Structures are given as structure tokens and as C-alpha cells.
């Protein structure tokens, strides 16, 4: 990895990072931003290089087996979460990456504290886990639709006062605990505009090959657009921390969203800088002894040709 490449990645993602303790307003980030890049000139090449870089770093992360990486993906419907995961992770070894999609909680999940089901799916050391929706739904959909909170059957004292502030603090503390134990957290909010979402939902109706993706629930959820924007702005303002910052990924241009998402994940891996474990002098001697033993077992060595 050249310093120039690492520097270019850092510069690309800097404007997307939400500063700690920022006070964001809804709609503050431009979903159409492309960082001065052009689809035809930069699009394919940059993504391919980003994917190659992730492939290399993921294999080193697995070999080193010290750090794990949790990628949190949050977005409104049709923002492109699935496509981003597919493209960005296209080169990595599937054994080292796990994707978990969090849906409406099951009765068993509702029987526990609000972070329980997410804790079950954290990455191990050497692994990357991707949360397709995440613990952040607990301060987003649950806030926009409070009937979800009723289903959680909290005791009265846990609902008193500013429940959302308490959840933000609990999430920040949990993420700090994970970071302090070697787990890096990459948080990506795919920020799509209302008009682009409308076009994508329409496309799911108009194109037969996309009909399967259409869900009436997505159109219903769109009616709560402003409430979601408020909930996202509050959540981003309270949970972008030095140990687990949020990045707002402009998502109106899919090609740029994929490059930006790959760049943020790559930047984290570059920072971890995982190395293949080095073999010391004794280890090298040991390897050479095994090599001699294996060489001695070759068919040529076991049955030397008879001299004529
Ligand atoms: P896609 O539509 O691309 O398959 P998706 O993430 O939208 O992906 P769906 O099955 O359509 O998946 O929706 C999952 C639903 O689960 C979303 O409406 C989301 O708001 C809801 N959900 C996720 N977490 C929670 C939660 N903690 N409490 C209540 N609802 C949740
Ligand atoms: Mg959906």
C-alpha cells in the first residue's frame, strides 16, 4: 500500500465523516455528492482498486487474528444496502466475512435487552461482520414507530425521561467496550434523497426483473420520511464518536456510494495494518526440517531409478 493511495482514500472520506458531538440538522448532507469524481472516468477503476485492496487486507486480518471489524450499514429503503455489500465485498474470502440482516425482532429476541441480538452476531478476531441494519434500528424504526417499544415490554422506570439519550449512551459505551477489545466499528449511513427513492421504487414496479424487490411496506414507510430524517439526524449527532465514527455515504449515485463505502472500510483496515505473522529463526529451521522430510517422500526420492 503506497502512502499516496492511503492519503487519497483519507482525503476522499474526510468530508463524509460526522464529527463527534456535531449538531446535525436533517438533510444537512447532500445525497448527490460525488467528491469531484466522474462515473465514466473514475467509477470502475477506483472501485476495482478498492475491492483488490480489501481482498488483500482481509486475508492479512484473518492471518493475524487479533482484530475484528464490524461494518454497520444503515439506510432507508431502496438506498442500495444490498448492492453495496455485493460490490464492495465481491473479492473477499467468504469464510472471513459474515453478513447479518436484522429484521423485525422475534419473540425470543424481544425477551432480552435491546442489544442482545446484535451481540450474538459480532465478528470474531480475524473476521469482518456486516450488519445489514443494526442496533441503530433501536433508535430509528423503534423511535418512529413507538409500538415497537411496547413490544419490548420494558419496566415503567426504563421508559421514563429521555429514553433515546439513554440508548445513545448505552450504544456508545458498548461500542467503546468493543473497540477497547480489538474490534473496529465502521458505521455507514447510505443517504438517499426522497426523489431518488421514489424513482427506485417506481423502477421496481416498471421493470419485471425488479418486481420481486417491490414491497408495499416500503411505500408506507416513505410516508414517515420526515420522522426518519429527524431520527437519523439525532442519532448521528449523538453516536459519532472518536472510537466509532459515522460516515454519511451519499447514495443517489450508486457507483459513488460503492467507492465511498469501500474507501471507508479500506481506511480502517489500513489503520489496523494487519500483518502476516512473521516466522522467527527457530520457526524457519522447523519449516526447513519439514521440507526435507516432505522432499524425502517424493516418488523420485523413495524409488530412485535403478542405474541401467
Ligand atoms: P430488503 O428490503 O432489501 O430485503 P430490508 O432490510 O428492508 O431489506 P425487510 O425484510 O424489507 O429488509 O425489512 C426489515 C424490517 O425490519 C424493516 O422494516 C425494519 O425497519 C425492521 N426492523 C429492523 N430492526 C428492527 C427492530 N429492532 N425493531 C423493529 N423493526 C425492525
Ligand atoms: Mg425492505
Amino acid at each position: 500500500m503506497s502512502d499516496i493511495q492511503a492519503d487519497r482514500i483519507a482525503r476522499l472520506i474526510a468530508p463524509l465523516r460526522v464529527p463527534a458531538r456535531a449538531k446535525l440538522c436533517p438533510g444537512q448532507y447532500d445525497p448527490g455528492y460525488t467528491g469531484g469524481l466522474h462515473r465514466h472516468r473514475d467509477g470502475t477503476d477506483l472501485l476495482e482498486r478498492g475491492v483488490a485492496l480489501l481482498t488483500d487486507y482481509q486475508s492479512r486480518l484473518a492471518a493475524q487474528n487479533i482484530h475484528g471489524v464490524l461494518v454497520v450499514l444503515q439506510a432507508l429503503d431502496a438506498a442500495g444496502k444490498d448492492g453495496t455489500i455485493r460490490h464492495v465485498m465481491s473479492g473477499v474470502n467468504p469464510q472471513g466475512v459474515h453478513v447479518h440482516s436484522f429484521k423485525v425482532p422475534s419473540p425470543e429476541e424481544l425477551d432480552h435487552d435491546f442489544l442482545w441480538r446484535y451481540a450474538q452476531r459480532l465478528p470474531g478476531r480475524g473476521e469482518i461482520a456486516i450488519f445489514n441494519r443494526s442496533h441503530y434500528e433501536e433508535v430509528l424504526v423503534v423511535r418512529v414507530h413507538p409500538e415497537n417499544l411496547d413490544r419490548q415490554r420494558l419496566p415503567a422506570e426504563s421508559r421514563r425521561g429521555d429514553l433515546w439519550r439513554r440508548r445513545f449512551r448505552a450504544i456508545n459505551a458498548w461500542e467503546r467496550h468493543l473497540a477497547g477489545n480489538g474490534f473496529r466499528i465502521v458505521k455507514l449511513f447510505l443517504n438517499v434523497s426522497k426523489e431518488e427513492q421514489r424513482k427506485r421504487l417506481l423502477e421496481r414496479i416498471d421493470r419485471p426483473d425488479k418486481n420481486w424487490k417491490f414491497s408495499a411496506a416500503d411505500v408506507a414507510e416513505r410516508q414517515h420520511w420526515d420522522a426518519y430524517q429527524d431520527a437519523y439526524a439525532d442519532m448521528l449527532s449523538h453516536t459519532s464518536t472518536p472510537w466509532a465514527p459515522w460516515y454519511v455515504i451519499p447514495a443517489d449515485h450508486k457507483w459513488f456510494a460503492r467507492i465511498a463505502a469501500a474507501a471507508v472500510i479500506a481506511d480502517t483496515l489500513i489503520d489496523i495494518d494487519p500483518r502476516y505473522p512473521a516466522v522467527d529463526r527457530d520457526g524457519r529451521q522447523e519449516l526447513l526440517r519439514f521440507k526435507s522430510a516432505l522432499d524425502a517422500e517424493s516418488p523420485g526420492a523413495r524409488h530412485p531409478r535403478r542405474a541401467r
Side-chain angles (χ1 to χ4, degrees), residues 77 81-82 103-105 117-118 133 137-138 141 148:
D77 295 302
K81 286 185 283 126
D82 290 348
K103 313 275 181 182
V104 176
R117 68 167 177 163
Y118 309 98
R133 300 187 188 270
E137 290 296 342
E138 304 292 338
V141 68
N148 287 305

Side-chain angles (χ1 to χ4, degrees), residues 71-75 186-190 246-247 249 260-261 264-265:
V71 179
V72 167
L73 258 189
Q74 278 298 148
V186 179
K187 301 191 295 200
L188 308 174
F189 164 43
L190 298 189
W246 271 106
Y247 287 85
I249 305 292
V264 177
I265 302 169

Side-chain angles (χ1 to χ4, degrees), residues 5-6 21 26 37 42 48 59 77 110 130 148 159 168 179 205 219 224 235 261 265 275-276 283 288 293 299:
Q5 213 178 347
R21 289 184 298 280
L37 299 181
D42 309 296
E48 274 172 13
S59 112
D77 295 302
L110 288 169
I130 301 177
N148 287 305
R159 290 191 69 153
F168 294 147
I205 295 170
V219 179
H224 302 279
M235 176 280 274
I265 302 169
R275 307 279 171 105
Y276 290 111
L288 290 174

Side-chain angles (χ1 to χ4, degrees), residues 26-41:
Q28 189 163 328
Y29 286 87
D30 174 11
Y33 175 84
T34 56
L37 299 181
H38 297 280
R39 181 180 186 169
H40 296 297
R41 195 188 62 204

